[in-house]
Amino acid sequence: MKIHIKGGRLIDPAQDIDAPTDVFIAAGKVVALGAAPDGFHANRVIDASGLVVAPGLIDLCARLREPGLEYRATLESEVAAAVAGGVTSLACPPDTDPVLDEPGLVEMLKHRARMLNLAHVYPHGALTAGLKGERLTEMGELHDAGCIAFSQANVPVADTQVLFRAMQYAATFGYTVWLQPTDMHLAAGGVAHEGEVAARLGLTGIPVLAETLAIGQMLQLARATGCKLHLARISSRAGLMLIDQARLDGMQVSCDVAIHALHLCDVDIGYFDPQCRTVPPLRAQFDREALRAALADGRIDALCSDHTPVDDDAKQVPFAEAEPGTTGLELLLPLTLAWAREMRLPLKVALARITADAARVLGLNAGHLRVGGAADVCIFDPEAPVRISRESLRSQGKNTPYLGRELPGRVSATLVSGQVVYEAPVRH
């Protein structure tokens, strides 16, 4: 299939491009920008007049719930939601059932994703067997099966000896370890940020110290082992300051933030709204503002949806009993655009955090539209409003704090490896 994307505003942060530019695609690759190559005859012309043409979005954390949790979501439903949101590549954590700690499970997941022929799926392998924090997995075999990094999802490792050995092993082979910093003892039983809101509502709090103590420990272990460390879902200003200091000391450590942490804080819990139950918890307003600013200036490397489909039975219950998590794959672009608008950031800077920067964190040759690269493309209208409703969400998970809200950014089409995998319905 030869495709000519015509008349669009090409924004490619990796190439520092923001200009009206046509894109020409053949055999799944970008073959030219601007002018058609000699002898190019398009099978299809996509009119992108008035629209932004960008690299396909990359989501650092999206739970697909398969294998084992198909009553909450399926691989098919969630990759369909991904491409509807312009996401062409996504990393999935290993907290499935069974856990992604065996090569056969990883190979099955990769095979299923290839058969669907929608978004690219990049699994993270479990760092410890069953995520129990006791015995290391066969990281080499999991890497050969298709895992691009190793993670505990949001399950802390209590035994520092085990974590030390895991980082030593990962450093030996150049694997990246992804950890969500939480001290399991300080966080035990907590359901909300420890502060005035939790106290007023009578909710057990999780102190910021649970994050900072874990970050300090993880940075020390990474420094001692030489392990490549990624700190996932940073939630506090104090945590950011520790990472800043580590970088000043010469450490190479990356980090990300969940999109909902840029827009919500503990006050949004309101009167026990279970849609606002997340892990880590929504922090104080000054933490939120620090996260927004750090992402804007690049101190936080990238942004993710932290997509976690939760069924109604587990969500529509009292706050403290609700399962943490929100649906986010289809909201990654609109919420990123809303953040950029509020921060008065150029689109190119905002899109970098969910394209080129996210690709760099994952170690992927993606997130760009260079000639010769894969034609993973997101075409969208940054001004068109999208009203979020249970009916509009393609994800099987319908629970999000943004139900009923109107956000900017409507995806018109998504291409993966040069194939059109999503087109917005025509509006009459």
Side-chain angles (χ1 to χ4, degrees):
M1 174 70 78
K2 293 182 178 181
I3 297 175
H4 175 193
I5 303 176
K6 179 182 179 182
R9 173 189 173 190
L10 176 62
I11 301 181
D12 186 349
Q15 300 186 78
D16 196 24
I17 295 174
D18 183 353
T21 308
D22 286 11
V23 179
F24 299 88
I25 295 166
K29 306 286 186 183
V30 177
V31 294
L33 300 176
D38 292 341
F40 185 92
H41 298 289
N43 304 109
R44 179 171 179 188
V45 176
I46 297 176
D47 183 3
S49 301
L51 304 176
V52 169
V53 179
L57 312 185
I58 298 172
D59 195 341
L60 296 183
C61 182
R63 289 172 174 82
L64 306 178
R65 296 307 202 188
E66 200 173 315
L69 300 167
E70 288 85 355
Y71 66 96
R72 290 183 175 161
T74 65
L75 186 62
E76 186 171 3
S77 69
E78 302 318 287
V79 291
V83 296
V87 175
T88 57
S89 298
L90 54 89
C92 56
D95 51 352
T96 48
D97 185 16
V99 167
L100 294 180
D101 60 3
E102 294 288 344
L105 294 170
V106 176
E107 289 166 354
M108 179 187 71
L109 181 63
K110 293 281 288 184
H111 175 73
R112 286 264 292 124
R114 281 194 299 272
M115 291 300 99
L116 290 171
N117 202 29
L118 292 170
H120 307 293
V121 174
Y122 298 98
H124 284 180
L127 194 64
T128 62
L131 299 178
K132 294 178 180 178
E134 298 169 356
R135 179 173 57 85
L136 302 189
T137 56
E138 295 290 344
M139 293 186 214
E141 293 180 8
L142 289 169
H143 179 265
D144 292 343
C147 291
I148 62 168
F150 295 91
S151 161
Q152 280 290 114
N154 56 11
V155 183
V157 177
D159 190 331
T160 48
Q161 178 76 276
V162 171
L163 190 53
F164 181 63
R165 298 301 178 207
M167 286 189 175
Q168 281 184 318
Y169 187 96
T172 301
F173 296 97
Y175 304 146
T176 303
V177 172
W178 287 50
L179 296 172
Q180 186 167 311
T182 305
D183 182 283
M184 66 186 299
H185 302 294
L186 286 173
V191 297
H193 169 63
E194 185 177 87
E196 182 183 331
V197 173
R200 176 169 51 82
L201 296 176
L203 298 172
T204 306
I206 300 174
V208 166
L209 183 62
E211 177 168 284
T212 55
L213 200 64
I215 289 174
Q217 182 187 79
M218 290 165 182
L219 289 173
Q220 293 270 25
L221 291 172
R223 186 181 284 113
T225 59
C227 171
K228 290 192 288 187
L229 175 64
H230 178 81
L231 294 171
R233 262 67 73 210
I234 299 302
S235 71
S236 69
R237 181 174 67 183
L240 277 172
M241 292 170 66
L242 289 175
I243 296 167
D244 288 343
Q245 185 58 53
R247 286 171 167 166
L248 285 173
D249 294 342
M251 277 196 74
Q252 289 191 335
V253 56
S254 57
C255 62
D256 69 60
V257 64
I259 187 66
H260 51 257
L262 299 186
H263 293 281
L264 303 173
C265 64
D266 59 348
V267 173
D268 292 293
I269 292 172
Y271 292 98
F272 305 98
D273 182 0
Q275 302 287 8
C276 292
R277 174 92 197 272
T278 62
V279 172
L282 298 174
R283 296 288 182 190
Q285 185 172 339
F286 67 82
D287 289 309
R288 181 189 65 189
E289 299 311 310
L291 296 172
R292 289 163 70 89
L295 185 67
D297 64 26
R299 288 158 53 219
I300 294 177
D301 297 85
L303 190 53
C304 74
S305 71
D306 198 20
H307 176 69
T308 308
V310 178
D311 59 291
D312 289 347
D313 288 345
K315 203 65 169 173
Q316 305 303 328
V317 293
F319 186 90
E321 299 171 25
E323 181 163 336
T326 71
T327 289
L329 264 172
E330 296 160 80
L331 305 183
L332 181 61
L333 177 62
L335 289 173
T336 299
L337 296 177
W339 161 71
R341 183 179 292 179
E342 291 159 10
M343 297 292 288
R344 299 183 179 178
L345 286 176
L347 264 181
K348 187 168 62 176
V349 173
L351 288 175
R353 304 295 183 262
I354 49 175
T355 57
D357 295 339
R360 175 174 47 79
V361 168
L362 287 171
L364 300 178
N365 179 19
H368 60 78
L369 292 175
R370 293 189 180 97
V371 172
D376 295 341
V377 188
C378 172
I379 304 172
F380 66 94
D381 184 340
E383 303 301 328
V386 177
R387 182 165 291 279
I388 310 304
S389 67
R390 294 177 71 91
E391 293 72 32
S392 70
L393 291 171
R394 286 164 178 78
S395 169
Q396 195 169 312
K398 306 297 184 184
N399 289 293
T400 166
Y402 297 97
L403 289 174
R405 297 197 192 183
E406 195 168 84
L407 298 169
R410 179 173 178 266
V411 175
S412 296
T414 305
L415 286 74
V416 174
S417 299
Q419 299 295 317
V420 178
V421 294
Y422 170 79
E423 288 183 89
V426 177
R427 293 187 172 182
H428 300 288

